[in-house]
Structures are given as C-alpha cells and as structure tokens.
C-alpha cells in the first residue's frame, strides 16, 4: 500500500519504454525517408574502409542492391579513396578532428565498370568509441561536361585566333592589348608577344591618331556595336602601312567584362592601286583631248573601210549562196548514177539467188560495196566547205574491227589483182571491238592500201593490224607494207602536203590529185593518232597508222554563246542556233540590221541555257549539229510549257527529210533504197498479192528514169500495181484521176518538186490523209519524226532564202506571238 501511496504522490509518471521505443523508431523512419529521398549518395564506412550503411540513391546510382553494396569496401567503389585525405591531411588522415571535413573531386565506379565524376565531402565521427567516416557524394557529370565543352571552345577560339590570316587583337576595357595573333605580329614586324600591354595608339602612325578615335571611344562606352576605319600603322621597323580596322564589342563569358575584338587587314596593295588610278584619272582629260583629234581622223578612215567591207561582205554572201546552191545541185547529180549502181546490183543479187546463179553473188556484192564506198567518199567531198573551215565532225561508235578490215580487204583485192600483186592480211587482236569513227578509219586505210596497190606491180602488199599497250593506253597499229616504187628521201618531207605527189613523172604515170595522203593525215590526227612512213626508193614503203583503241569524243564547238543587243529600239529577240560560226555571224548581222536583239549559240546545250535566261521571241535552228542536235533541242523546247509557244524556224543545209516530215510525210526512205526497208513500208500499208487491185496501186514519182524503174520493179515484185509520174504536176493529175493507196515521192524534181506537191496534198481536205513516203538522201529516226510532226513553225534551206524573205518571215512570227500575249 505504502508503495501505492508513495507512487500516487510522486508527480506525473514518465513515458514507458514501449512508448519511447515507438518514438525512436518513428524518428528513425523519418530520418531514413529523408536520407533515401536525397539526390546525393550517402555512405558510412569505418577506418578499414568497410561499408556500414548507405542510402537508396547511393547503391541505386552505382547499380547495386543494398545488400550487394554493403558487402563491398569503400575501395571497391572508389579506388582512389586512400589518396584523397592525404592530399589535405597527410599520413594522419585517420586522426582527422571530429569537427573537420574534406571536400574532393574523384570518381566512383559503377557496377558495370564505368566511372561517374563525383564531388565527395568526407567527415569523421565516433560511435561507441569507434572512429567512422561519413561520405556525401554528389554527381558532377553535367558540370564536368560543361567544363570540357568550355575548354574545347577556348581551344577552338585559340586555334582560330592563332591561325587567322588577318591580324587580330583582344583589347580590355582600359584599351590595353591583351592578345595579338601571329598574323598581326608579322604584319607589324613585332616579336611574339611584343604587342601585349600596348594600346592601339602605340602602333598607329602619328599623323592618323585622330582617324576613327571618336568612333572607337563610342564603341568602348557601349554607344555603338561596330567600327570600321582605314588608317596607317607604324611597324616596329619604322615602316608605314595601310590597314583596315574592323572592331566590335563582346562580353567575356567568365567575367562579363566588356572587351573589344579588332581585325586589322593589310590594304597596302589596294591603296597603291587606288593612288595609281587617281593619278591616271588626273591625266585622263589630257589624254582624251589628245586622242579626240586622232579619233576624228580614224573615224573618217573607218567609214571608208566599212563601206569597202560591206561591199566585200555582200560579194562573199553572194559567193556563199552560189556555193551552197552548187553543192546542193551537185549532190543530187552525183548521187543519181550511184543510186542506180547500188540499186541494180542489189536487184541482180536477188535475181542471181532466185535463179541459182549464186557464183555471181560475190561479184555483185563487191560492186554494191564499191558503190556504197564511192557514195561515202562523194559525201565527204561535197562537205568541202567544212573541211576548209576545220568543221569536219567525228561520229564515234563501237566498231567490230575484224569485220571492218574484211570489208576493206574485199574492196581493195581487185585493185591488187589488177597490178598482179599478192595481198595478205595479218590480224593480232585480243578484243576486236574499238570506239572510233568508222567512216574516217575506212577512208584512211582504203587510201593507204589503194596507194600501195597502185604504186606496186607484180609484188606484195600486206596489211598487219596489232593491238598494243603503250603505257596505260590501248593503241592500234596498222602497217601497210608494199614492195613497190618507194619514195626518195628528199620527197618524204612534202609527202603529206595537199595537191603534192612524189614528182611530175609519178603524177603523169599514176594520176591522182595528191589530196589522199594529206586528208588521211588530218583524219588520223582528228582521231587522236598519226601516220608514219618508212621508205627506201626502189625497194618499197611501209605506212603506219596509229590510232587509240577508244577515242575520247571532243565537243565540236565551244559551249559559249553571245548576246548582241541593238543600239536603237529593240523590236524583238531572236536566238540563232548553228554550229557553223560563219552561218551564225551572217544570220546575226542580217537580223541586227533590222533592229532585232540577237542571241547566238553554237551547240544545243548552250541554246537551252540561253532560252532559259532570255526567253526569245523566235528561234532559228540548224538541225545538223554535233552533240545535242537540232531535233533534241526542238523536243526539249516543246516539252516545257514556257517554251512551247516560241516559234521555231528550221534553217538547214540539207532539209529534204526535215521538210518531208514537217509537211506530213508518213515515212522517209534514204537513197539508195534498201529493198527490205521498202518491203516493210509497203507491208505497213496493206501490200500483198491477191488484194483488191483497184485500191492497191502505188504511185512512184521521180524524175530519174533509173531510180523510177528500180522502185517500180521492187513494188511490182511485192504484188502491187504501179503508176509512174516524172514530176509533181503529173503526179497531182494522176492522184486526182485515180487516188492511189500509197505515194513514193522524190523531193528534188523539175517543174513541181516534192515539197510543193506535199503542200498541195496537205492543203486539200480530200487528199490530206493520203500516205506519202518521201525518198531522199538523208533519213531521221523515230524520235525526230515525232518531234517534228506538229512543232516546226517553218523550214528554210540555207543559201536559198533572200534577206527580205527571212526578215519578213521572222517579223510575222514575232507579231503573231505578240498578239497571242
């Protein structure tokens, strides 16, 4: 009881142990919650480094579970822990005062091996007499990355600053030079670092101290952002040089202090040029006065010269017109007999095969091949104007060399046998396919072999063809060797000169013009090769033709073009497209005299560029050009809406096929007519035996009896009935009397030619649909045929139009386009 009473009078009772325990546990839970929510890694270890405790962020950030982490030592996660305190406290780090701490930057190692930069605060404390250490670790990866980036920027700026070719200086707010790059030191002749600590005034020429001073002071005060001024500077060696100062303000990212960056560029050379120019202009008035009197006299003389030149130009244009007309006429006259030779030989070949006389076929093939070769030579001779102007064009293609050699040998063999010569061939080839101009190669080899056969009697003529490697390039060597007359040493020097033969006796005995070797040598050079000759008089000669196996195609004309504006009113712009400079110039002068602004282009590619830039009102277009020809230009123009309405005038030297398609011909056949090609055309229009004869007759229109006979026989053989007409007028009468199923029409005829007949047919609604096959010396492909059908404004033949006709026609096209707009 007494215990009970004494207890009742002893005052308020103290909390029990259980309640105290609960409070402590609650406090510990709160503390654990705060510790675990911390974004710093908290660790507790003893003197030996054994980890005793950590928060959740501590073990999670290093990739461990709590249990895994407490099995480690501090050295496992921080291998450098032993050296950290020594940096600050030496060997007595274990005796650090309990109220002290040390902060260091180090790395903690993640469970997967990578290191994490950390800032660590280490503080000692005692627990039950045992010294322990608490470590607070903060991830400083972002800060380290930022510091590294800043260091890289500083290094980059330093590299740019040091390597800049223009002088650079950094100036602080007091106007003192903090840094100068090597370019400025070299410019002023200063030693490395010799400009640091000086001011801009110290390096400025005394007479120019006030130049730009107020602007620079405003820049330092922040009243302007940029200054540019030209002034003179004094070099360390006493020299004076002009330089341009360009300065601007910027804030130092570390200190936020306002500083100045100045570019100092050497302009000495420019100033010297300006001084010379100024002196020149000061003398200009004097020079102009002196020159004016001389010019007045020159102008009077020039007017007299221009009058004489105009007279000569008119004469030259008349001669050029006559030449073009002559070439066009001769082309027709020379081709006509050859067409007969080739055509009849082909018909005889077919008849020989049909009748079983096959022994005649090889000879007839040789006649046909010789005729075709002669036709090719005539075409080149008729192109004499281009040879004289250096305008011969190359057409590079893949060629099977053995087949070409066999063809040449077959053609030359009769020439060799005529003089009793033995002809031999040796081929030493690995590939056999080359890239070159087959026509030019055939012409050169035929000339060399025919010469060898002509100058050799009862001897030997040999052709040896080798494929060789010269360095890294593949070459062909053609050796033409004969045992004939030979050449005297004094005659070798003039062997390749035009119109030159060995001597007068050679010319009388063997004939010839002396052009063959000269032209062959020019062709060989155009093909990238050369011709060499070795000869012993009375013993024989060897001519060697060297050619690259693969020719690099060269552009025949430059890609340049010109724009020639008129001095008065511009009544329109005309684009003249032609690869021949003479034709371009003549047409340009003609149009300029009438008040047109003229653009000229030597190639199709340049024509497209000029059309894009200037949008001309009319385009005159030559179709026969190297590279992108006139048909490709025409097709591209009409595919683009902005060019589709521009009138195009075809100006072509040989417009037969061109005009045929433009006037609506169903097809064009090239002379000499290939029988298989003619069969294909006839079958397209329903030819064949056993059909209704009233609707199956063909009208053949040609003024040449032999050509007409060849066509009629070929058509009859295919089961058609045939009517004939010698010109367009007779043909028109025949068509109106009895409409044929098909018309085979030659364009070049007297009285009424094929062009006029085509125009009449296309203008008559009843005859507009009548199929017409044009017979001509040139043939175009399907692409050109499609492009030309509805897209050509008109066609004019070079050399056939007058000045008045052309100008009147172009003016009408310009006026028509203006009305549409």
């Amino acid at each position: 009881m007494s215990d009970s009473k004494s207890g009742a009078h002893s005052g308020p009772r103290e909390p029990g142990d259980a309640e105290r325990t609960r409070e402590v546990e609650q406090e510990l839970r709160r503390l654990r919650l705060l510790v675990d929510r911390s974004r710093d890694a908290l660790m507790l270890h003893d003197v030996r480094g054994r980890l005793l405790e950590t928060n959740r962020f501590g073990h999670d950030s290093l990739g461990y579970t709590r249990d895994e982490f407490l099995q480690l030592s501090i050295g496992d996660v921080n291998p450098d822990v032993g050296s950290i305190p020594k940096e600050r406290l030496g060997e007595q780090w274990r005796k650090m005062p309990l109220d002290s701490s040390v902060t260091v930057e180090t790395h903690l190692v993640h469970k997967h091996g990578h290191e994490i930069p950390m800032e660590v605060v280490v503080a000692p404390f005692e627990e039950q007499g045992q010294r322990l250490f608490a470590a607070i670790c903060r991830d400083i990866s972002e800060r380290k990355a930022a510091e590294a980036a800043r260091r890289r920027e500083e290094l980059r700026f330093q590299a740019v600053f040091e390597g800049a070719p223009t002088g650079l200086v950094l100036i602080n707010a007091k106007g003192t030079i903090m840094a100068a790059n090597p370019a400025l030191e070299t410019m002023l002749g200063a030693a490395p670092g010799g400009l640091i600590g000086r001011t801009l005034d110290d390096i400025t020429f005394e007479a120019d101290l006030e130049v730009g001073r107020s602007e620079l002071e405003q820049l330092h005060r922040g009243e302007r952002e940029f200054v540019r001024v030209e002034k003179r500077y004094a070099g360390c060696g006493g020299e004076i040089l002009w330089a341009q100062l360009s300065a601007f303000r910027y804030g130092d990212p570390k200190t936020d202090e306002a500083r100045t960056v100045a570019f100092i560029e050497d302009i000495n050379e420019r100033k010297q040029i300006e001084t010379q120019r100024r002196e020149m202009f000061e003398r200009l008035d004097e020079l102009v006065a002196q020159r004016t009197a001389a010019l007045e006299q020159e102008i009077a003389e020039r007017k007299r010269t221009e009058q004489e030149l105009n007279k000569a130009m008119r004469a030259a244009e008349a001669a050029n017109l006559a030449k073009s007309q002559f070439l066009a006429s001769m082309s027709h006259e020379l081709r006509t007999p050859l067409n007969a030779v080739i055509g009849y030989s082909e018909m005889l070949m077919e008849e020989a095969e049909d009748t079983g006389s096959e022994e005649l076929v090889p000879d007839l093939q040789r006649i046909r091949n010789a005729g075709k070769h002669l036709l090719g030579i005539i075409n080149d001779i008729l192109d004499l104007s281009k040879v004289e102007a250096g305008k011969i064009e190359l057409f590079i293609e893949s060629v099977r060399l053995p087949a070409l050699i066999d063809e040449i040998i077959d053609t030359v063999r009769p020439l060799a046998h005529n003089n009793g010569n033995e002809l031999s061939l040796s081929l030493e080839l690995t590939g056999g396919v080359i890239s070159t101009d087959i026509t030019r190669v055939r012409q050169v080899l035929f000339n060399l072999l025919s010469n060898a056969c002509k100058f050799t009697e009862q001897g030997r003529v040999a052709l040896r063809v080798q494929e060789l490697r010269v360095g890294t390039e593949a070459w062909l060597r053609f050796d033409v060797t004969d045992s004939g007359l030979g050449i005297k040493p004094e005659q070798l020097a003039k062997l390749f000169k035009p119109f030159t033969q060995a001597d007068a006796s050679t010319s009388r005995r063997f004939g010839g013009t002396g052009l063959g070797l000269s032209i062959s040598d020019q062709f060989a050079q155009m093909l990238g090769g050369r011709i060499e000759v070795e000869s012993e008089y009375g013993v024989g000669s060897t001519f060697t033709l060297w050619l690259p196996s693969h020719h690099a195609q060269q552009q025949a004309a430059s890609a340049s073009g010109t724009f020639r504006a008129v001095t008065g009113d511009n009544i329109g712009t005309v684009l003249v497209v032609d690869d021949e400079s003479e034709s371009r110039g003549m047409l340009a002068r003609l149009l300029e005299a009438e008040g047109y602004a003229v653009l000229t282009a030597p190639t199709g590619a340049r024509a497209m560029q000029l059309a894009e830039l200037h949008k001309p009102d009319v385009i005159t277009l030559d179709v026969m050009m190297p590279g992108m020809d006139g048909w490709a230009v025409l097709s591209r123009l009409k595919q683009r809406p902005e060019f589709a309405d521009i009138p195009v005038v075809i100006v072509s030297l040989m417009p037969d096929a061109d005009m045929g398609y433009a006037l609506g011909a169903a097809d064009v056949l090239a002379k000499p007519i290939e029988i298989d090609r003619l069969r294909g055309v006839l079958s397209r229009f329903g030819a064949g035996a056993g059909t209704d004869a009233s609707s199956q007759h063909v009208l053949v229109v040609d003024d040449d009896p032999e050509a007409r006979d060849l066509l009629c026989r070929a058509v009859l053989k295919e089961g058609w009935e045939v009517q004939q007409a010698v010109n367009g007028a007779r043909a028109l009468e025949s068509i109106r009397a009895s409409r044929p199923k098909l018309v085979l029409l030659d364009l070049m005829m007297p009285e009424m030619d094929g062009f006029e007949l085509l125009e009449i047919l296309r203008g008559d609604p009843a005859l507009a649909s009548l199929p017409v096959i044009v017979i001509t010396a040139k043939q175009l492909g399907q692409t050109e045929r499609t492009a030309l059908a509805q897209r050509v404004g008109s066609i004019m033949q070079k050399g056939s139009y007058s000045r008045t006709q052309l100008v009147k026609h172009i003016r009408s096209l310009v006026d028509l386009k203006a009305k549409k707009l």
Side-chain angles (χ1 to χ4, degrees):
M1 293 293 295
S2 60
D3 291 340
S4 174
K5 290 180 180 180
S6 64
H9 295 284
S10 61
R13 189 178 57 178
E14 293 292 328
D17 293 339
E19 185 177 353
R20 172 60 64 184
T21 299
R22 285 194 301 272
E23 292 175 355
V24 170
E25 289 177 350
Q26 183 178 8
E27 184 177 350
L28 288 174
R29 282 195 302 271
R30 291 173 179 172
L31 182 59
R32 169 60 67 180
L33 180 62
L34 291 174
V35 169
D36 283 342
R37 294 293 178 88
S38 172
R39 304 313 295 169
D40 291 333
L42 305 179
M43 303 177 190
L44 185 65
H45 64 86
D46 59 16
V47 175
R48 293 190 301 276
R50 184 167 56 90
L51 289 169
L52 304 176
E53 190 58 80
T54 181
N55 66 340
R56 179 178 298 173
F57 185 79
H59 62 75
D60 283 350
S61 63
L62 296 179
Y64 295 97
T65 65
R66 186 171 185 277
D67 292 339
E68 289 175 338
F69 192 76
L70 295 180
Q71 297 299 317
L72 305 174
S73 69
I74 191 66
D76 293 330
V77 296
N78 185 4
D80 299 330
V81 67
S83 63
I84 293 173
K86 291 181 181 180
E87 296 176 356
R88 302 286 183 88
L89 302 175
E91 294 296 334
Q92 301 302 318
W93 65 274
R94 289 184 176 86
K95 299 180 181 181
M96 289 173 57
L98 296 180
D99 58 348
S100 66
S101 66
V102 61
T103 302
V104 295
E105 291 183 4
T106 184
H107 294 83
L108 295 187
V109 180
H110 193 273
K111 180 179 179 179
H112 296 309
H114 61 273
E115 296 181 344
I116 304 174
M118 292 284 184
E119 181 182 76
V120 181
V121 178
V122 181
F125 69 95
E126 285 189 358
E127 183 181 86
Q128 297 179 357
Q130 180 183 6
R131 178 175 287 262
L132 302 178
F133 294 88
I136 305 173
C137 308
R138 175 162 296 175
D139 189 338
I140 57 172
S141 298
E142 293 183 1
R143 191 181 78 192
K144 286 294 185 180
E147 290 175 355
R150 186 166 60 252
R151 285 195 299 274
R152 287 195 299 271
E153 288 298 325
E154 290 173 352
L155 291 173
R156 187 179 296 113
F157 174 79
Q158 183 178 359
V160 172
F161 185 83
E162 296 291 336
T166 302
L168 279 172
V169 290
L170 298 180
I171 304 170
N172 62 19
K174 298 179 181 179
T176 303
I177 296 175
M178 301 172 57
N181 71 340
L184 182 61
E185 293 171 345
T186 301
M187 184 190 307
L188 298 178
L195 299 178
I196 296 176
R198 304 179 69 184
T199 66
L200 287 179
D201 284 353
D202 294 336
I203 62 174
T204 301
F205 183 54
E206 184 176 0
D208 289 353
L209 282 173
E210 296 303 320
V211 177
R213 181 188 291 276
S214 61
E215 291 88 343
L216 287 171
E217 289 176 351
Q218 292 173 2
L219 181 70
H220 291 322
R221 292 195 301 265
E223 296 174 3
R224 62 191 305 164
E225 295 296 327
F226 180 76
V227 170
R228 174 174 292 167
V229 64
E230 294 180 359
K231 58 196 307 186
R232 288 171 291 181
Y233 290 85
C236 295
E239 65 278 10
I240 306 300
L241 68 152
W242 278 96
Q244 177 178 273
L245 172 72
S246 302
F248 62 90
R249 283 168 53 87
Y250 82 103
D252 190 311
K254 293 182 179 179
T255 64
D256 202 29
E257 178 185 359
R259 295 184 178 177
T260 300
V261 175
F263 294 82
I264 301 178
E265 180 182 1
D266 187 345
I267 57 171
N268 245 357
E269 184 176 351
R270 175 163 65 85
K271 283 295 184 180
Q272 291 175 1
I273 293 173
E274 290 177 356
T275 301
Q276 294 171 359
R277 186 179 300 166
R278 185 171 55 255
E279 293 174 353
M280 180 186 67
F281 284 141
E282 290 173 354
R283 296 184 54 203
L284 185 60
D285 290 341
E286 179 183 352
L287 293 173
V288 169
Q290 294 174 357
R291 185 61 179 154
T292 300
L295 283 176
E296 291 176 351
Q297 183 177 356
E298 290 180 10
I299 290 171
E301 295 177 357
R302 186 175 299 175
K303 286 182 177 179
R304 289 193 297 270
T305 303
E306 286 179 354
Q307 292 174 354
E308 295 175 359
L309 287 176
N310 287 333
K311 185 185 298 183
M313 184 179 69
R314 287 192 294 271
E317 290 176 353
N320 187 56
L321 175 60
K323 181 187 73 173
S324 298
Q325 292 173 338
F326 170 76
L327 289 175
S329 175
M330 288 303 297
S331 172
H332 183 73
E333 296 299 327
L334 289 172
R335 285 192 182 98
T336 297
L338 279 176
N339 290 337
V341 170
I342 296 170
Y344 280 116
S345 64
E346 288 179 346
M347 294 187 64
L348 289 173
M349 284 170 57
E350 287 193 357
E351 291 182 4
E353 291 173 351
D354 293 341
T355 59
S357 304
E358 296 183 357
E359 69 277 4
L360 300 176
V361 172
D363 292 334
L364 292 172
Q365 286 178 334
R366 292 187 180 95
I367 293 174
R368 182 192 61 181
N369 293 342
K372 287 187 175 181
H373 179 72
L374 184 57
L375 182 62
I377 294 176
I378 290 175
N379 286 335
D380 288 336
I381 294 175
L382 291 176
D383 209 11
L384 181 61
S385 59
K386 286 192 175 183
V387 175
E388 293 172 348
K391 286 287 187 177
I392 285 292
E393 302 159 6
L394 297 179
F395 298 92
I396 306 302
E397 57 184 318
S398 296
V399 179
R400 291 189 68 255
L401 189 57
L404 174 62
I405 297 300
D406 289 342
E407 178 186 341
I408 295 173
I409 290 296
D410 286 343
T411 305
V412 172
R413 186 171 282 112
L415 299 177
H417 292 168
N418 286 343
N419 280 359
N421 294 317
E422 177 187 345
L423 180 63
S424 62
L425 171 65
S426 173
L427 295 180
E428 302 172 22
L429 304 176
T430 57
V433 177
I434 63 174
S435 298
T436 190
D437 186 319
I438 185 173
T439 302
R440 307 305 172 195
V441 174
R442 182 191 292 116
Q443 211 165 334
V444 173
L445 288 177
F446 181 79
N447 181 265
L448 296 179
L449 285 166
S450 62
N451 279 350
C453 294
K454 182 169 65 173
F455 292 104
T456 304
E457 296 179 355
Q458 304 299 322
R460 293 175 290 100
V461 176
L463 171 62
R464 182 185 183 189
V465 185
Q466 298 173 278
E467 193 169 10
L468 306 173
R469 302 291 300 186
V470 180
T472 59
E473 298 179 350
W475 285 80
L476 295 169
R477 174 173 175 157
F478 304 84
D479 291 309
V480 178
T481 304
D482 66 70
S483 59
L485 184 64
I487 305 170
K488 296 177 182 179
E490 63 271 16
Q491 295 165 346
L492 285 174
K494 58 182 181 179
L495 191 62
F496 294 104
K497 293 182 179 180
F499 303 103
T500 302
Q501 288 192 330
D503 53 31
S505 62
T506 302
S507 178
R508 288 192 301 271
R509 179 179 175 186
F510 296 101
T513 64
L515 275 174
L517 285 177
S518 174
I519 294 176
S520 296
D521 185 52
Q522 293 182 45
F523 285 165
Q525 294 180 38
M526 291 172 61
L527 292 168
R530 64 187 185 277
I531 296 178
E532 300 172 349
V533 59
E534 295 180 1
S535 183
E536 183 178 352
Y537 186 68
V539 176
S541 306
T542 297
F543 283 80
T544 300
L545 168 64
W546 289 91
L547 291 178
S549 296
H550 299 284
H551 182 274
Q553 177 72 60
Q554 301 293 327
Q555 289 292 338
S558 68
S560 62
T562 61
F563 179 79
R564 301 161 66 162
V566 295
T567 55
D569 294 335
N570 179 4
I571 62 175
T573 301
V574 180
L575 171 58
V576 177
V577 188
D578 198 315
D579 63 317
E580 294 183 348
S581 59
E582 294 180 0
S583 298
R584 280 197 316 274
M586 184 175 66
L587 190 52
R589 290 193 300 272
L590 180 64
L591 294 170
E592 288 169 358
E594 297 298 322
Y596 291 96
V598 180
L599 297 156
T600 64
T603 64
R606 183 56 177 160
M608 292 299 300
Q609 295 174 359
L610 292 177
E612 180 81 32
L613 291 173
H614 299 282
K615 304 295 188 301
D617 297 297
V618 176
I619 298 174
T620 71
L621 181 62
D622 180 22
V623 295
M624 302 300 291
M625 295 188 298
M628 184 193 296
D629 63 14
W631 304 118
V633 175
L634 185 60
S635 178
R636 295 189 184 184
L637 285 171
K638 298 306 178 180
Q639 288 173 3
R640 298 180 57 175
E642 65 268 32
F643 299 144
D645 294 331
I646 297 178
V648 178
V649 179
I650 296 294
V651 181
S652 180
L653 180 62
M654 302 181 66
D656 296 4
D658 316 342
M659 292 189 72
Y661 287 126
L663 294 172
D667 207 334
V668 174
L669 295 180
K671 289 184 178 180
I673 302 297
E674 296 181 6
I675 301 301
D676 290 340
R677 176 93 168 94
L678 179 60
R679 287 194 186 110
V681 171
L682 294 175
S683 65
R684 236 176 40 232
F685 292 94
T691 56
D692 181 8
S694 63
S695 62
Q696 290 298 123
H697 80 271
V698 175
L699 176 61
V700 177
V701 188
D702 199 317
D703 63 319
D704 180 15
E706 292 179 345
R708 205 167 57 245
D709 179 57
L710 283 170
L711 281 172
C712 289
R713 290 169 64 177
V715 172
L716 284 170
K717 190 174 182 179
E718 296 303 313
W720 292 72
E721 289 189 0
V722 180
Q723 290 183 354
Q724 303 182 39
V726 297
N727 56 46
R730 297 288 180 86
L732 188 58
E733 294 174 1
S734 178
I735 291 170
R736 287 174 174 167
S738 176
R739 175 174 172 144
K741 185 68 175 292
L742 188 65
V743 177
L744 299 179
L745 175 64
D746 182 28
L747 292 178
M748 303 297 293
M749 295 181 297
E751 191 170 340
M752 179 190 291
D753 61 19
F755 302 131
E756 187 176 352
L757 177 59
L758 272 171
E759 289 178 351
I760 294 173
L761 293 178
R762 294 304 166 243
D764 187 341
L767 300 174
S769 62
L770 177 61
V772 177
I773 308 300
V774 167
I775 308 297
T776 182
K778 293 289 182 181
Q779 183 175 358
L780 302 177
Q782 182 63 37
T783 301
E784 293 90 351
R785 183 184 308 121
T786 303
L788 184 61
Q790 295 287 330
R791 295 178 175 180
V792 177
S794 57
I795 299 181
M796 306 191 78
Q797 183 176 359
K798 288 182 180 178
S800 66
Y801 55 82
S802 68
R803 173 191 180 104
T804 304
Q805 289 173 328
L806 179 62
V807 172
K808 182 179 179 181
H809 186 60
I810 289 180
R811 181 173 289 129
S812 67
L813 293 175
V814 173
D815 294 342
L816 180 61
K817 184 180 178 186
K819 291 179 181 178
K820 291 182 178 179
L821 297 176

